[in-house]
């Protein structure tokens, strides 16, 4: 059995997947690198996957499937995973080797020790194209360092500071036991990957290292702002799916409940801002419908989201209000370095 399985979803990723795979190879035989070719047709992604599987048969495995989207590629990796822990690294991203060794050391401590770790959290770096200064998402205000905790040990998550796929490693069996299966042909499902398992997580550990390097800035990237506006229906769909997984207002652990509400707040904010920035009446109507959807599904949650700081900020009346919402978003964007 492997210590860590890493799934790399690849779709026409010839230009950058080698860098990603090479950054993971120093993990050696303890790590299983699952290179998932998601029906690539325009380049040599499939051949590169097979090349690494042949060259490193004890480490790399090539998985070929019909195109199902990012979520189905993650599903395929999870189905094939034999590692005790599971990580997703997108094919245009990579990991820092020194931090990688510390991550493996930490996982090894728990595997051979008496305590069970469900979720390991580490920092990630925004490797933004053209940016002079790299932003780092850290969690030192939210989580104690180098300490196994329960949700009761969580401190304060600041606005804009939340756990993403880039920062998390889950215990593999936990993901399988909670029935995680991401929807096919859907963008932005990485939010579901992080969110759905949370009530099943009993123990967390924060390792304060800059492990994951998150590359952003390509024009065709799914997180490019204009691309996101064009796919606003996908963002709204994922938000609605997340709203339906749990009645978060009834989650008994106060800190877990607070964090999950905060995550939904972020999802509602992103959908709302994209609709506002598009400037079209059609998308503004979709924004209105999304808020009505929350109200119909869960009135207490609606009241919490709608009249919270972000909910009020994205529902200011009139054209002037929308301009204020966009200005606030731009300040946050500059501070945290996303998109």
């Amino acid at each position: 059995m492997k210590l860590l399985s890493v799934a790399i979803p690849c779709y026409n990723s010839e230009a950058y997947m080698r860098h990603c795979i090479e950054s993971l190879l120093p993990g050696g035989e303890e790590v299983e690198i699952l290179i998932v070719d998601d029906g690539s047709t325009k380049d040599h992604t499939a051949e590169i996957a097979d090349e690494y599987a042949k060259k490193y048969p004890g480490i790399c495995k090539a998985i070929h499937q019909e195109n199902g989207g990012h979520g189905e590629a993650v599903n395929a990796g999870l189905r094939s995973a034999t590692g005790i822990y599971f990580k997703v690294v997108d094919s245009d991203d990579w990991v820092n080797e020194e931090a990688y060794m510390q991550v493996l050391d930490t996982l090894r401590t728990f595997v051979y020790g008496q305590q069970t770790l469900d979720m390991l959290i580490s920092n990630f770096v925004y490797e933004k194209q053209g940016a002079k200064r790299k932003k780092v998402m850290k969690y030192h205000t939210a989580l104690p360092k180098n300490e196994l905790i329960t949700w009761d040990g969580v401190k304060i998550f600041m606005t804009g500071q939340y756990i993403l796929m880039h920062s998390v490693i889950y215990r593999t069996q936990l993901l399988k036991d909670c029935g995680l299966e991401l929807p096919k042909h859907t963008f932005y499902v990485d939010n579901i990957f992080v969110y759905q398992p949370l009530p099943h997580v009993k123990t967390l550990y924060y390792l304060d290292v800059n492990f994951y390097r998150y590359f952003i800035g390509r024009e065709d990237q799914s997180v490019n702002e204009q691309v996101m506006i064009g796919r606003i229906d996908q963002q709204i769909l994922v938000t609605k799916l997340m709203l339906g997984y749990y009645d978060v207002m009834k989650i008994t652990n106060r800190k877990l409940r607070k964090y999950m509400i905060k995550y939904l707040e972020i999802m509602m904010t992103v959908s709302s801002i994209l609709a506002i920035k598009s400037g079209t009446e059609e998308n503004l109507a979709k924004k209105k419908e999304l808020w009505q959807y929350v109200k119909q599904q869960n009135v207490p949650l609606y009241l919490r989201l709608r009249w919270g700081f972000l909910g009020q900020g994205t529902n200011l009346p009139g054209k002037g209000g929308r301009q204020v919402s966009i200005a606030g978003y731009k300040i946050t964007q500059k501070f945290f370095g996303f998109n």
Side-chain angles (χ1 to χ4, degrees), residues 155-174:
K155 297 187 285 183
I156 299 172
F157 279 92
M158 309 296 287
T159 299
Q161 180 191 50
Y162 57 113
I163 302 165
L164 295 181
M165 181 181 275
H166 320 310
S167 48
V168 68
I169 295 175
Y170 276 119
R171 187 166 54 83
T172 307
Q173 194 58 47
L174 181 147

Side-chain angles (χ1 to χ4, degrees), residues 4 32 40 54 69 80 82 111 134 137 140 159 181 184 190 200 203 234 275 338:
L4 175 66
E32 172 182 61
S40 302
K54 184 178 180 180
S80 297
T82 64
V111 168
K134 294 178 176 26
M137 178 62 80
H140 58 275
T159 299
E181 186 167 354
K184 294 182 179 180
D190 50 325
H200 301 266
T203 53
Q234 299 271 295
F338 52 83

Side-chain angles (χ1 to χ4, degrees), residues 187-188 222 224-235 274-275 278 283 286:
F187 290 92
Y188 314 120
S222 63
N224 175 281
E225 189 173 278
Q226 290 306 310
V227 174
M228 290 182 76
I229 289 172
R231 293 173 178 162
I232 191 170
D233 289 343
Q234 299 271 295
Q235 183 73 36
L274 291 175
S278 74
N283 284 339
K286 291 175 182 177

Side-chain angles (χ1 to χ4, degrees), residues 119-296:
M119 181 169 69
L120 176 71
I121 299 162
S122 58
N123 308 328
F124 66 90
V125 180
Y126 286 103
E127 294 282 353
K128 190 168 186 177
Q129 200 168 42
K132 293 181 180 178
R133 182 166 166 262
K134 294 178 176 26
K135 305 283 186 178
V136 182
M137 178 62 80
K138 294 189 174 186
Y139 300 94
H140 58 275
T141 62
L143 303 165
K145 300 177 186 178
N146 306 322
E147 182 182 340
L148 188 71
I149 62 169
T150 65
W151 285 105
D152 291 331
V154 171
K155 297 187 285 183
I156 299 172
F157 279 92
M158 309 296 287
T159 299
Q161 180 191 50
Y162 57 113
I163 302 165
L164 295 181
M165 181 181 275
H166 320 310
S167 48
V168 68
I169 295 175
Y170 276 119
R171 187 166 54 83
T172 307
Q173 194 58 47
L174 181 147
L175 295 180
K176 294 181 177 181
D177 289 345
C178 78
L180 179 70
E181 186 167 354
L182 304 181
K184 294 182 179 180
H185 300 295
T186 306
F187 290 92
Y188 314 120
V189 295
D190 50 325
N191 294 292
I192 296 174
F193 177 86
V194 176
Y195 180 84
Q196 186 188 340
L198 289 177
H200 301 266
V201 170
K202 306 305 178 189
T203 53
L204 311 81
Y205 188 96
Y206 172 46
L207 183 63
D208 185 16
V209 294
N210 299 344
F211 175 42
Y212 194 103
R213 322 305 278 210
Y214 175 34
F215 182 78
I216 55 174
R218 288 201 331 269
E219 290 185 2
D220 64 336
Q221 220 168 358
S222 63
V223 293
N224 175 281
E225 189 173 278
Q226 290 306 310
V227 174
M228 290 182 76
I229 289 172
R231 293 173 178 162
I232 191 170
D233 289 343
Q234 299 271 295
Q235 183 73 36
I236 291 172
L237 171 61
V238 168
T239 302
K240 287 182 175 180
L241 287 171
M242 291 170 64
L243 287 163
Y245 285 126
Y246 307 101
D247 182 349
V248 292
M249 302 302 286
K250 294 181 179 178
I251 288 177
T252 54
N253 185 283
R254 182 179 63 85
K255 292 191 175 180
L256 172 59
R257 180 174 68 249
K258 185 177 180 180
Y259 178 74
M260 293 183 73
I261 292 170
K262 185 181 181 71
Y263 206 123
L264 294 176
E265 188 176 37
I266 291 290
M267 295 298 293
M268 293 295 292
T269 299
V270 171
S271 296
S272 297
I273 288 293
L274 291 175
I276 293 169
K277 292 205 78 174
S278 74
T280 70
E281 291 300 323
E282 180 186 3
N283 284 339
L284 289 174
K286 291 175 182 177
K287 169 180 173 285
K288 184 177 180 180
E289 188 277 330
L290 175 60
W291 282 98
Q292 282 299 117
Y293 176 85
V294 182
K295 189 175 183 179
Q296 291 169 2

